[in-house]
């Protein structure tokens, strides 16, 4: 700092502590005074300032909250075991209420179970406390949820055109019709900004349509026309759905599952149908290993639902299942070497998850590194403190026989199977 700058300063200080420990005269506001007093107690063991503030009514209620937070933080630093300060509910009445609320009559979705397995605390915040996240998306940011929904609607319309067609589908004509429809759509009461954003969104949707047509033609060539869509956007378990909930039982333990399946393709109907369950993904598609370890439950559970309630009483068997990556290489089949045993493992796995949920296990443990930067509930989560304390929660996961298969190999396997030439 030069002499002229120094002369303009009321007072020059070379360095200030963030909590103003050595500058009590600068902590003029009530909040600054509490921060300084707390820092003195924490860093220097000097409790005189915080005791003095706590003796006044204006500060006491706030400092009680501070004391509770410090107590919880200190408890999180003790050892590596999880406790009530890391998401384990130990109050008996609360556990009984959880068991009642999430009892056998309460339906679950596969995505809820995946959320619980990914981060039990996120499930707690979303489905137990029912907290509504604060919308922090910039108006210029893309709404990925809406884009995914729009794409699902578009693909359903395109596939529905040829659902019962016996001849060769004209995919280029379907694409042109959908592009034409999108070109004539405009948001109601839109501002110039809204129109600009919609034009960007529309362009991206059209690009995805053209990519999907390429993927779809390739899929049909590799499947040798054996697999064809049978059902689209199939609901089961919801109010008014054609099919009931999937009930999973193991002795006295049970759960009810509901969901919506993007697409079911069938091959060889005349001599024993073989089906595949497909889920569209406009973003990241889960890996086969995540299915193998039971971390991604949706498609295997949907396959069970198709067997038990959609094709009930029919000689239909699972060929494979997989995610259709709309921004990459299309359908990626995942097969099971021992599907019958895998179903038993899957049942034990999901019932174990629900048992822990009903028992009050909502540990602050996320499978996704860096979640504190993007999770909707990062403002109420203390995952950083838990990780800094070296605490890691280990799930007991199954090892299913799932494996990735190339599309051509999967098509050959179907061709060699009984009824594969139908």
């Amino acid at each position: 700092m030069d002499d002229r700058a120094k002369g303009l300063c009321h007072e020059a200080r070379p360095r200030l502590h963030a909590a103003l420990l050595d500058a009590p005269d600068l902590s003029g506001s009530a909040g600054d005074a509490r921060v300084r007093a707390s820092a003195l107690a924490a860093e220097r063991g000097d409790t005189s300032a915080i005791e003095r503030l706590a003796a006044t009514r204006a500060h006491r209620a706030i400092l009680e909250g501070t004391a509770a937070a410090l107590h919880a933080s200190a408890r999180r630093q003790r050892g590596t075991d999880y406790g009530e300060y890391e998401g384990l509910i130990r109050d008996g009445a609360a556990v009984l209420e959880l068991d009642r609320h999430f009892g056998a009559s309460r339906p679950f979705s596969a995505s809820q179970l995946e959320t619980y397995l990914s981060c039990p605390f996120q499930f707690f915040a979303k489905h137990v406390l029912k907290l509504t996240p604060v919308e922090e998306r910039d108006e210029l940011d893309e709404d990925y949820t809406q884009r995914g929904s729009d794409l699902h609607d578009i693909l359903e319309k395109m596939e529905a055109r040829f659902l019962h067609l016996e001849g060769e589908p004209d995919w280029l004509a379907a694409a042109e019709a959908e592009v034409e429809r999108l070109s004539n759509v405009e948001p109601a009461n839109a501002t110039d900004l809204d129109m600009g954003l919609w034009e960007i969104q529309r362009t991206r949707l059209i690009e995805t349509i053209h990519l999907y047509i390429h993927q779809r033609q390739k899929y049909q060539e590799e499947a040798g026309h054996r697999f064809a869509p049978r059902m689209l956007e199939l609901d089961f378990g919801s109010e008014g759905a054609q099919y009931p909930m999937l009930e999973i039982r193991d002795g006295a333990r049970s759960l009810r599952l509901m969901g919506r399946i993007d697409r079911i393709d069938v091959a060889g109907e005349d001599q024993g149908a073989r089906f595949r369950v497909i889920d569209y993904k406009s973003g990241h598609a889960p890996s086969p290993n995540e299915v193998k370890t039971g971390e991604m439950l949706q498609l295997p559970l949907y396959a069970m639902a198709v067997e038990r309630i959609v094709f009930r009483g029919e000689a239909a068997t699972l060929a494979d299942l997989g995610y259709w990556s709309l921004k990459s290489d299309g359908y990626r089949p995942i097969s099971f070497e021992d599907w019958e045993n895998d179903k038993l493992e899957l049942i034990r796995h999901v019932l174990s998850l629900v048992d822990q949920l009903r028992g009050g296990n909502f540990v602050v443990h996320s499978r996704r590194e860096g979640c504190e930067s993007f999770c909707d509930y990062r403002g109420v989560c203390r995952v950083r403190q838990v990780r800094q304390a070296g605490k890691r929660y280990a799930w007991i996961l199954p090892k299913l026989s799932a494996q990735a298969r190339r599309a051509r190999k999967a098509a050959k396997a179907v061709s060699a199977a009984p009824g594969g030439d139908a």
Side-chain angles (χ1 to χ4, degrees):
M1 184 180 293
D2 58 29
D3 292 339
R4 181 176 177 276
K6 288 181 180 179
L8 295 174
C9 292
H10 174 68
E11 182 178 355
R13 294 177 185 257
R15 187 176 183 181
L16 285 174
H17 187 282
L20 304 174
L21 291 188
D22 300 313
D25 54 314
L26 295 182
S27 56
S29 71
D32 287 343
R34 287 192 294 269
V35 169
R36 181 176 179 276
S38 300
L40 283 171
E43 294 188 18
R44 298 182 182 179
D46 181 359
T47 61
S48 58
I50 201 167
E51 289 174 358
R52 185 170 60 254
L53 292 178
T56 64
R57 181 177 299 178
H59 293 284
R60 185 168 184 82
I62 297 174
L63 288 175
E64 284 177 348
T66 302
L70 291 172
H71 174 72
S73 179
R75 289 292 298 270
R76 291 191 188 103
Q77 302 304 315
R78 293 183 184 177
T80 56
D81 292 334
Y82 280 79
E84 61 268 34
Y85 293 97
E86 296 88 19
L88 286 181
I89 296 178
R90 290 176 172 170
D91 180 83
V95 172
L96 287 174
E97 178 61 20
L98 283 167
D99 186 62
R100 184 198 65 79
H101 183 72
F102 292 102
S105 62
R106 201 268 193 190
F108 286 89
S109 68
S111 63
Q112 288 174 347
L113 296 176
E114 287 180 349
T115 296
Y116 180 73
L117 187 55
S118 176
C119 178
F121 182 79
Q122 186 186 63
F123 180 97
F124 179 72
K126 185 174 184 179
H127 298 292
V128 180
L129 299 182
K130 300 185 185 302
L131 301 181
T132 302
V134 176
E135 179 61 63
E136 296 181 348
R137 186 172 60 88
D138 187 273
E139 63 179 347
L140 296 180
D141 290 342
E142 183 173 6
D143 188 339
Y144 294 104
T145 301
Q146 184 60 49
R147 181 169 182 266
S149 178
D150 290 341
L151 282 172
H152 275 71
D153 290 343
I154 290 169
L155 298 183
E156 181 186 13
K157 287 184 175 70
M158 291 176 62
E159 290 288 352
R161 288 170 175 261
F162 310 116
L163 197 57
H164 304 293
L165 181 70
E166 295 184 0
E168 189 74 19
D170 189 342
W171 290 109
L172 291 178
E176 289 173 2
E178 198 56 35
V179 169
E180 178 66 21
R181 184 185 70 82
L182 285 173
S183 298
N184 294 323
V185 172
E186 290 187 357
N189 302 318
T191 65
D192 289 344
L193 176 60
D194 292 333
M195 290 301 300
L197 293 174
W198 166 239
E199 186 59 37
I200 294 172
Q201 173 74 343
R202 179 162 49 195
T203 300
R204 288 174 174 169
L205 290 173
I206 291 172
E207 289 173 352
T208 302
I209 290 171
H210 289 145
L211 178 58
Y212 178 75
I213 294 303
H214 173 73
Q215 294 172 348
R216 190 63 173 81
Q217 291 172 327
K218 180 181 177 183
Y219 172 82
Q220 206 65 47
E221 291 170 2
E222 292 176 339
H225 300 280
R226 294 180 181 86
F227 277 102
R230 168 77 75 85
M231 300 176 183
L232 307 171
E233 298 294 331
L234 182 139
D235 282 320
F236 65 94
S238 61
E239 185 177 355
Q242 180 180 356
Y243 297 97
M245 293 186 190
L246 172 67
E247 294 200 19
I248 297 176
R249 291 185 176 277
D250 184 12
R253 302 154 67 212
S254 67
L255 70 84
R256 306 170 75 199
L257 191 78
M258 59 188 295
R260 169 175 283 193
I261 303 173
D262 287 349
R263 181 170 139 189
I264 302 170
D265 283 16
V266 176
E269 298 179 44
D270 295 337
Q271 301 177 28
R274 290 166 63 78
F275 68 88
R276 59 176 33 151
V277 181
I278 298 174
D279 188 53
Y280 295 122
K281 289 295 181 185
S282 56
H284 167 73
S287 70
N289 189 61
E290 290 176 294
V291 176
K292 184 182 186 71
T293 57
E295 295 170 275
M296 300 306 294
L297 297 163
Q298 185 181 60
L299 285 183
L301 288 174
Y302 282 179
M304 288 178 59
V306 173
E307 272 189 346
R308 293 188 180 185
I309 60 179
V310 178
F311 291 141
R312 184 179 181 179
E314 300 182 35
T317 57
L318 175 67
D320 53 50
L321 49 80
Y323 300 97
W324 190 300
S325 176
L326 294 171
K327 68 176 184 179
S328 183
D329 51 359
Y331 181 64
R332 303 173 182 177
I334 301 171
S335 63
F336 294 82
E337 293 183 344
D338 190 358
W339 175 235
E340 292 303 314
N341 185 66
D342 287 338
K343 286 187 287 187
L344 298 177
E345 287 290 319
L346 193 61
I347 288 171
R348 285 191 284 265
H349 179 44
V350 296
L351 287 176
S352 174
L353 292 178
V354 174
D355 284 347
Q356 294 181 68
L357 184 158
R358 291 168 177 165
N361 181 353
F362 300 104
V363 292
V364 180
H365 170 78
S366 174
R367 292 193 299 112
R368 303 180 67 182
E369 293 296 328
C371 59
E372 61 271 26
S373 66
F374 58 80
C375 178
D376 286 338
Y377 302 97
R378 59 189 179 275
V380 294
C381 178
R382 297 296 178 264
V383 68
R384 277 199 180 99
Q385 293 181 9
V386 172
R387 286 172 174 166
Q388 287 171 359
K391 300 184 180 185
R392 295 291 184 271
Y393 191 80
W395 291 105
I396 299 176
L397 299 173
K399 190 174 182 180
L400 307 180
S401 64
Q403 60 179 353
R405 289 202 297 176
R406 291 183 179 178
R408 289 187 182 276
K409 185 177 179 181
K412 289 179 180 178
V414 172
S415 178
D421 292 330

